[in-house]
Amino acid sequence: MKLVKSELQQLEEKYSRFFLLSIDLLCIASFDGYFMYLNPVWTRTLGWSTQELLAKPFIEFVHPEDRESTILVAQSISQSVNAIFFENRYLCKDGSYKWLSWNATAFIEEKLIYGVARDITLNKHNEISRQKIIRELEALKFALNTHSLVAITDKMGRITYANDQFCEVSKYSREELLGQDHRIINSGHHTKEYFQNLWKTISKGEIWKGEIKNKAKDGSFYWVDTLITPILDSDGKPYQYVAIRTDITQRKLSELALLERSRLSLLSAEVSLALSQSGTLAEILQNCTNTISQYLKLAFVCIWTFERQTNQLELQAGVHCTEVTCSALNNSENFPNHMVLANDIVGLMTQNHQAIFNQELTINHPELLLNSTFSIFRFSAYPLIVEQQLIGIIALFSQQMLTEPTHNLLNWIANNIAVAIDRIWAREELLSRREALLLRLASQIRSSLDLDIILETAVHEIRSLLQIDRCYFISYSTQPSEPSLTIISEARNPNSPNLPTMLGSIPQHKSNFLTKILLSQELICIDHINRKSQFDDDIQQFLTEFGITAQLVLPVKSNSGDIGAIICSHCSGDRIWSNSEISLLQAVCDQLAIAIDHAQLYTQSLSATLAAQTQAEKLTTTLYQLQETQSQLIQHEKMSSLGQLVAGVAHEINNPVNFIHGNLTYAHEYFEELLTLLRLYQQYYPLPQQEIENFAETIDLDFITSDLYKLLSSMEMGTNRIREIVLGLRNFSRHDEAEKKQVDIHEGIDNTLLILHHRWKNNGIGLDISIVKEYGDLPLIDCYPGQLNQVFMNILTNAIDALEELKIKLGIINKPQIIIRTEIFDKNFVVIRIIDNAGGIPEEVRSRLFDPFFTTKPVGKGTGLGLSISYQIVVEKHGGILKCISQEGQGTEFWIQIPI
């Protein structure tokens, strides 16, 4: 027995090695539910010690939700010899659970269960997460397919997937969509740039979001809120795009309807305002078409009326619109298709007086009618009807269908335009030729301040208007000493040469009845002298003397108290004076009274105004002369001070420079002598001491010998340059040359350029102006050299300032240049032309260029005196000419002309 037991223990120890080496959880359990044996992996996996695991039934370590299934599996294992696979969760010591995958079998004779378990917690969690994601994706896919239009395209934009919602809204089948790009549903509403921006965004791998208007297969339109997401490959490049769209058509239609109501309300208000304005029929209707084209997206809109005499259709107003601008249609002959189309419509409208709305229409030659690539338009037309009579038509072309509210508003607009046309025609009928002439006459009377012209105009226009034999104006003098009547203006019928003139004073014995009428301001209307039985004898005698058969007297009294009358006479039978004629003539008399007041006031103030004007001119001249004198004094003082300063500085610099320059000659001679001595030493003592050789090598004697010549030469050149500058300063200032003398103009120009060298050659901003001298063969000129140099300085400084300003403003200027050209002009003059390429001077600035104190430069940089003083120097001092020739964008030229 001991021997058998020992062998069994050895066998157990031998097989326990496999238990220890296994990476899986190995166990032996009894049918009573307790573990009998566990390998160490259990402790590492669950955290329990072996004793803790063996002390309790294994079912207590199983997750409560898995215990029932585990008990059933254990029962199955105990009743079968086959291995059974199952999964459950085991409690860890830290309170968490781990998923174990089991493969177990039972040995019924031994009443033991042998099991192998593997920790699958990580895989299980991943599987659970994956299943959750799949469920979420399925829910998302269901939600998207239910509520959104989903499409997937390849990187070229071809559709590779379209869901049912996309097919339903677009009215295309899936087979019709696959392989196509989204141009199949393009509505044409958005610009090419809109889609270029879309593709630019998503091709960079970025998400694009926006609203798009699409067109379905049946021609209807729908709006979608679109989100396009690129799907990227391993290189970060999009290889396909997912487009998720939400149908927002109803919302968009509501927004558009709200906008349309607002737009139509504004349109109706604007049209009402246009119709209420004064003006000609064409002007009012053109304002209406302009307003309609602003608020409605139309290709064109026109209004025709029937010409009242010929009953032919006549274009009154129209607007032609492109994608960019709208322009008025002034001549129907330029648009023959309009008239052909309109005549066809008129034939139908004259019969039924019915509007045409959104009729699809093809234009055979659209380039003649509309600047568009489309040839199919929606046409609408509305009759203009007044009292069941067609008086005109309003027609509209649009590329899109007009809405019902727009149709209703256009009907309303057509009715109002028809009423307005009828009202204007009625007004024009009332303002016939007579009334129009009288109104023009009143305007002419009001616009003049010469009393003689006013009265002459009045009597001639009234006579011509009324077609009477004579019209004259009679004036009553209110002088108490000798009151009198005088006819001062008269117009007679040129076809009746035998009519005697009535100009002049009327004798007192013949003027009593007229005086009485004028003083009482009574209107006298005589259709025929034989029908008036209560005439005074003097009235009868007066009318008979001049052969007057009918007469109209309209008194005129001004606010100043002057009394007169317009008298219309007829000498060839009856003349019925209508109420309209009398009414209009009374209005003219009222205007005439106002005009007389204005003329008198004008006459009274004319002398006072003339005196005041004379005095003002004297003061202006004195002030101008004072300003000129002041500016000249300031400038002369400034230039005098500058000349003294320049002369003094030149003198002070000249002395030390001459000292240095003179000593350079002796330094050069001394150097030659020392060098000769050194060469003699080298010749007679070729082997000097070692110390001398070392020092010669250290100082590089050969280099010093050759370079010292260059050094002295450069110093001499520098002193020469300083002497030239000093000479230029002295010549420019010409402090000792205040009187006229003969000088070389070119020398003065060169000295000025020398002074300004730092400005045009190195101005601090890298401008580097090129100075081109084109000097002619000039004689010596008799002039004031110092003042002339001042002119050159002012003009060249302005040219340099202009080039600098252009450089700062534009950042670049091609080859900045100043050309100085001199030549003989007309044998007796020399001309100096200074030309720059700085872009020119505007006309409004050029006209004031030589005004004192006028400047375009910032405060502190210019006084406005430079060119004004230059003008005085050239024109007044030298008897020459100074002018500016400039064209914007080209450059500026100053022309200085001096007598030789």
Side-chain angles (χ1 to χ4, degrees):
M1 288 295 291
K2 289 183 180 180
L3 179 60
V4 173
K5 190 172 183 180
S6 176
E7 290 177 355
L8 181 60
Q9 289 176 349
Q10 290 178 2
L11 186 61
E12 288 179 354
E13 290 176 0
K14 179 181 178 181
Y15 285 106
S16 67
R17 294 172 187 171
F18 290 99
F19 273 61
L20 294 174
L21 294 175
S22 175
I23 60 174
D24 292 327
L25 290 82
L26 305 181
C27 70
I28 301 174
S30 63
F31 281 7
D32 60 1
Y34 284 87
F35 288 118
M36 301 295 295
Y37 184 84
L38 299 170
N39 70 339
V41 181
W42 281 84
T43 300
R44 292 197 299 270
T45 302
L46 300 180
W48 302 105
S49 66
T50 302
Q51 290 74 16
E52 289 173 325
L53 291 170
L54 295 176
K56 296 181 181 179
F58 61 76
I59 197 66
E60 292 188 15
F61 294 97
V62 177
H63 193 285
E65 295 178 0
D66 299 338
R67 288 178 182 175
E68 184 177 353
S69 61
T70 302
I71 293 172
L72 293 175
V73 170
Q75 292 175 355
S76 299
I77 293 172
S78 64
Q79 297 172 3
S80 172
V81 295
N82 296 321
I84 296 178
F85 172 81
F86 66 97
E87 296 176 353
N88 61 8
R89 287 168 285 181
Y90 262 71
L91 178 66
C92 298
K93 191 166 185 178
D94 60 4
S96 62
Y97 285 89
K98 289 193 175 182
W99 279 94
L100 300 181
S101 174
W102 289 90
N103 196 358
T105 186
F107 286 86
I108 299 175
E109 298 83 2
E110 299 177 3
K111 294 186 178 181
L112 294 176
I113 298 174
Y114 290 82
V116 179
R118 177 166 294 177
D119 186 0
I120 61 169
T121 304
L122 181 60
N123 294 339
K124 199 68 176 177
H125 287 169
N126 290 339
E127 178 66 21
I128 292 172
S129 298
R130 185 163 54 252
Q131 291 297 328
K132 181 179 179 183
I133 291 172
I134 290 173
R135 289 194 300 271
E136 291 175 350
L137 288 176
E138 289 294 334
L140 179 60
K141 180 180 178 182
F142 175 78
L144 286 175
N145 286 329
T146 303
H147 300 286
S148 300
L149 292 74
V150 181
I152 300 176
T153 66
D154 60 17
K155 63 180 181 180
M156 303 303 295
R158 292 184 293 266
I159 299 173
T160 59
Y161 170 78
N163 71 342
D164 295 338
Q165 190 76 1
F166 188 5
C167 297
E168 180 182 348
V169 174
S170 68
K171 305 296 191 299
Y172 287 99
S173 66
R174 187 171 284 102
E175 292 73 19
E176 291 174 316
L177 292 172
L178 295 180
Q180 300 287 335
D181 58 27
H182 279 82
R183 282 194 289 265
I184 192 174
I185 56 173
N186 187 5
S187 65
H189 175 77
H190 303 283
T191 62
K192 186 185 296 183
E193 290 76 16
Y194 188 82
F195 289 109
Q196 286 176 346
N197 180 61
L198 183 155
W199 274 103
K200 182 179 179 182
T201 301
I202 63 177
S203 61
K204 293 191 298 185
E206 300 175 0
I207 295 175
W208 183 89
K209 191 176 187 306
E211 296 179 352
I212 299 178
K213 183 180 181 180
N214 288 331
K215 184 177 181 180
K217 184 178 180 180
D218 62 358
S220 61
F221 297 95
Y222 62 94
W223 283 85
V224 287
D225 190 1
T226 303
L227 176 71
I228 302 179
T229 303
I231 307 299
L232 308 180
D233 57 18
S234 58
D235 296 329
K237 302 292 185 182
Y239 69 91
Q240 65 179 12
Y241 304 99
V242 178
I244 302 173
R245 304 178 180 89
T246 304
D247 189 349
I248 58 170
T249 304
Q250 292 303 319
R251 190 200 79 192
K252 206 68 181 179
L253 290 177
S254 299
E255 292 176 358
L256 293 175
L258 183 61
L259 289 174
E260 183 180 29
R261 284 196 297 272
S262 175
R263 186 177 70 253
L264 295 181
S265 297
L266 291 173
L267 172 58
S268 62
E270 292 282 350
V271 170
S272 298
L273 180 62
L275 293 175
S276 65
Q277 299 298 314
S278 60
T280 64
L281 177 63
E283 291 172 346
I284 292 173
L285 295 184
Q286 187 63 50
N287 289 337
C288 290
T289 55
N290 291 342
T291 302
I292 293 172
S293 66
Q294 289 174 5
Y295 286 93
L296 301 179
K297 190 175 182 181
L298 303 172
F300 81 80
V301 53
C302 294
I303 298 177
W304 291 277
T305 59
F306 286 106
E307 209 282 323
R308 285 175 287 178
Q309 280 73 33
T310 63
N311 206 34
Q312 293 294 318
L313 204 62
E314 179 182 6
L315 178 65
Q316 290 289 348
V319 174
H320 167 217
C321 294
T322 65
E323 293 181 357
V324 181
T325 58
C326 291
S327 57
L329 298 177
N330 297 320
N331 190 350
S332 61
E333 294 180 359
N334 295 332
F335 303 91
N337 286 356
H338 284 195
M339 297 307 298
V340 172
L341 182 61
N343 287 331
D344 293 340
I345 299 164
V346 168
L348 179 62
M349 283 193 171
T350 52
Q351 298 175 10
N352 57 23
H353 293 185
Q354 295 297 316
I356 297 174
F357 182 55
N358 281 336
Q359 178 177 327
E360 192 172 279
L361 195 57
T362 302
I363 307 300
N364 295 329
H365 301 286
E367 68 277 1
L368 299 177
L369 182 64
L370 304 166
N371 185 17
S372 173
T373 56
F374 294 95
S375 59
I376 298 178
F377 293 88
R378 300 287 179 173
F379 175 73
S380 301
Y382 300 87
L384 305 179
I385 300 172
V386 175
E387 296 180 356
Q388 299 181 350
Q389 181 181 0
L390 185 67
I391 65 170
I393 292 172
I394 177 172
L396 310 94
F397 270 88
S398 62
Q399 294 178 8
Q400 296 180 355
M401 296 181 63
L402 300 178
T403 62
E404 192 67 29
T406 303
H407 173 59
N408 296 333
L409 178 63
L410 288 172
N411 265 319
W412 178 86
I413 289 175
N415 291 333
N416 281 270
I417 289 177
V419 172
I421 292 173
D422 184 62
R423 185 178 66 248
I424 293 171
W425 282 351
R427 185 175 66 209
E428 291 176 350
E429 194 69 30
L430 289 174
L431 297 175
S432 60
R433 177 177 176 273
R434 291 186 176 186
E435 287 78 3
L437 284 175
L438 282 176
L439 291 176
R440 187 178 76 249
L441 171 63
S443 176
Q444 291 173 351
I445 291 173
R446 293 290 305 269
S447 63
S448 177
L449 291 175
D450 189 320
L451 185 57
D452 293 334
I453 294 176
I454 291 172
L455 297 177
E456 284 292 326
T457 301
V459 296
H460 279 88
E461 289 289 346
I462 293 173
R463 196 219 64 78
S464 176
L465 173 68
L466 300 182
Q467 290 298 297
I468 55 178
D469 293 326
R470 183 189 281 117
C471 179
Y472 53 90
F473 181 82
I474 188 169
S475 174
Y476 174 70
S477 175
T478 57
Q479 294 296 332
S481 58
E482 45 182 75
S484 62
L485 288 176
T486 306
I487 297 175
I488 58 178
S489 294
E490 179 187 46
R492 289 175 291 169
N493 188 352
N495 298 322
S496 302
N498 296 325
L499 287 177
T501 182
M502 297 179 64
L503 290 173
S505 299
I506 301 175
Q508 187 173 4
H509 67 278
K510 295 182 180 181
S511 63
N512 291 331
F513 81 99
L514 288 174
T515 302
K516 186 189 303 181
I517 292 172
L518 296 180
L519 293 176
S520 64
Q521 293 291 292
E522 181 182 0
L523 186 147
I524 301 297
C525 180
I526 303 173
D527 295 334
H528 197 281
I529 58 173
N530 296 329
R531 298 177 187 166
K532 232 14 171 173
S533 58
Q534 297 181 349
F535 285 150
D536 293 339
D537 292 340
D538 51 355
I539 297 178
Q540 188 74 34
Q541 183 182 353
F542 180 83
L543 295 177
T544 303
E545 181 179 349
F546 289 97
I548 298 173
T549 59
Q551 183 163 275
L552 180 65
V553 181
L554 296 108
V556 177
K557 185 177 182 180
S558 66
N559 291 330
S560 60
D562 288 346
I563 298 174
I566 287 288
I567 300 179
C568 300
S569 300
H570 205 58
C571 302
S572 53
D574 294 352
R575 178 62 165 88
I576 306 299
W577 310 101
S578 67
N579 291 332
S580 61
E581 289 175 338
I582 295 173
S583 177
L584 288 172
L585 286 174
Q586 284 178 323
V588 172
C589 289
D590 292 339
Q591 298 294 326
L592 189 59
I594 297 173
I596 291 172
D597 283 333
H598 289 176
Q600 289 179 343
L601 289 174
Y602 172 73
T603 303
Q604 293 170 3
S605 62
L606 193 59
S607 57
T609 302
L610 183 60
Q613 185 177 359
T614 303
Q615 184 66 21
E617 289 176 355
K618 290 181 180 179
L619 291 174
T620 302
T621 303
T622 303
L623 179 60
Y624 180 74
Q625 292 174 349
L626 180 62
Q627 287 179 335
E628 284 190 331
T629 303
Q630 183 181 13
S631 63
Q632 290 177 14
L633 287 174
I634 294 171
Q635 191 69 7
H636 290 164
E637 182 64 25
K638 182 173 70 174
M639 292 307 296
S640 175
S641 301
L642 179 60
Q644 293 176 5
L645 175 63
V646 169
V649 170
H651 177 73
E652 292 299 326
I653 293 175
N654 196 43
N655 288 336
V657 169
N658 287 336
F659 173 77
I660 295 170
H661 185 76
N663 287 335
L664 285 176
T665 303
Y666 298 109
H668 192 276
E669 292 176 359
Y670 297 160
F671 169 68
E672 286 289 344
E673 292 173 355
L674 290 174
L675 190 60
T676 302
L677 178 62
L678 179 62
R679 287 171 181 163
L680 289 173
Y681 266 101
Q682 289 176 339
Q683 178 179 354
Y684 292 105
Y685 298 97
L687 298 173
Q689 294 295 323
Q690 185 64 37
E691 183 178 356
I692 295 174
E693 285 187 1
N694 293 340
F695 185 73
E697 290 180 0
T698 302
I699 65 175
D700 197 353
L701 183 61
D702 293 336
F703 172 77
I704 290 176
T705 302
S706 62
D707 191 56
L708 196 53
Y709 281 111
K710 299 177 183 177
L711 183 64
L712 292 171
S713 177
S714 63
M715 292 170 66
E716 186 175 1
M717 186 183 302
T719 55
N720 284 332
R721 176 63 177 158
I722 294 174
R723 294 175 70 191
E724 289 175 0
I725 292 173
V726 169
L727 181 60
L729 288 171
R730 293 184 62 187
N731 290 337
F732 175 80
S733 65
R734 295 193 182 270
H735 187 58
D736 55 346
E737 298 179 8
E739 299 299 326
K740 263 191 174 185
K741 64 180 296 184
Q742 290 190 339
V743 296
D744 183 359
I745 291 293
H746 296 156
E747 182 183 352
I749 296 174
D750 291 340
N751 289 330
T752 305
L753 288 174
L754 184 64
I755 299 300
L756 294 175
H757 184 274
H758 70 288
R759 291 280 319 274
W760 60 266
K761 196 63 181 175
N762 183 15
N763 61 344
I765 62 172
L767 193 56
D768 196 14
I769 302 170
S770 173
I771 303 294
V772 179
K773 300 178 183 178
E774 298 179 359
Y775 290 169
D777 187 11
L778 303 183
L780 295 179
I781 306 300
D782 190 27
C783 64
Y784 297 97
Q787 295 185 16
L788 207 55
N789 286 348
Q790 182 183 350
V791 174
F792 299 151
M793 173 72 81
N794 286 334
I795 294 176
L796 286 169
T797 300
N798 283 342
I800 295 170
D801 289 343
L803 288 167
E804 284 185 349
E805 183 180 351
L806 189 63
K807 167 74 174 180
I808 295 170
K809 183 178 180 181
L810 299 181
I812 185 171
I813 176 173
N814 294 330
K815 297 180 180 178
Q817 187 180 74
I818 297 176
I819 300 173
I820 304 174
R821 187 176 296 147
T822 63
E823 57 190 6
I824 299 293
F825 178 74
D826 200 19
K827 297 182 180 180
N828 297 319
F829 295 91
V830 61
V831 171
I832 303 98
R833 299 165 63 188
I834 301 176
I835 308 164
D836 65 60
N837 62 343
I841 303 174
E843 175 60 31
E844 60 272 14
V845 175
R846 191 164 65 251
S847 62
R848 301 186 58 193
L849 210 55
F850 301 112
D851 291 354
F853 308 108
F854 174 75
T855 181
T856 59
K857 296 179 181 178
V859 176
K861 193 170 183 181
T863 62
L865 291 174
L867 290 178
S868 175
I869 297 297
S870 299
Y871 186 84
Q872 293 171 357
I873 291 171
V874 173
V875 177
E876 298 178 11
K877 284 279 189 179
H878 291 85
I881 296 173
L882 175 61
K883 60 183 178 180
C884 175
I885 305 165
S886 181
Q887 184 177 356
E888 278 197 83
Q890 301 297 322
T892 302
E893 174 182 344
F894 279 91
W895 175 291
I896 306 169
Q897 180 175 320
I898 302 293
I900 292 178

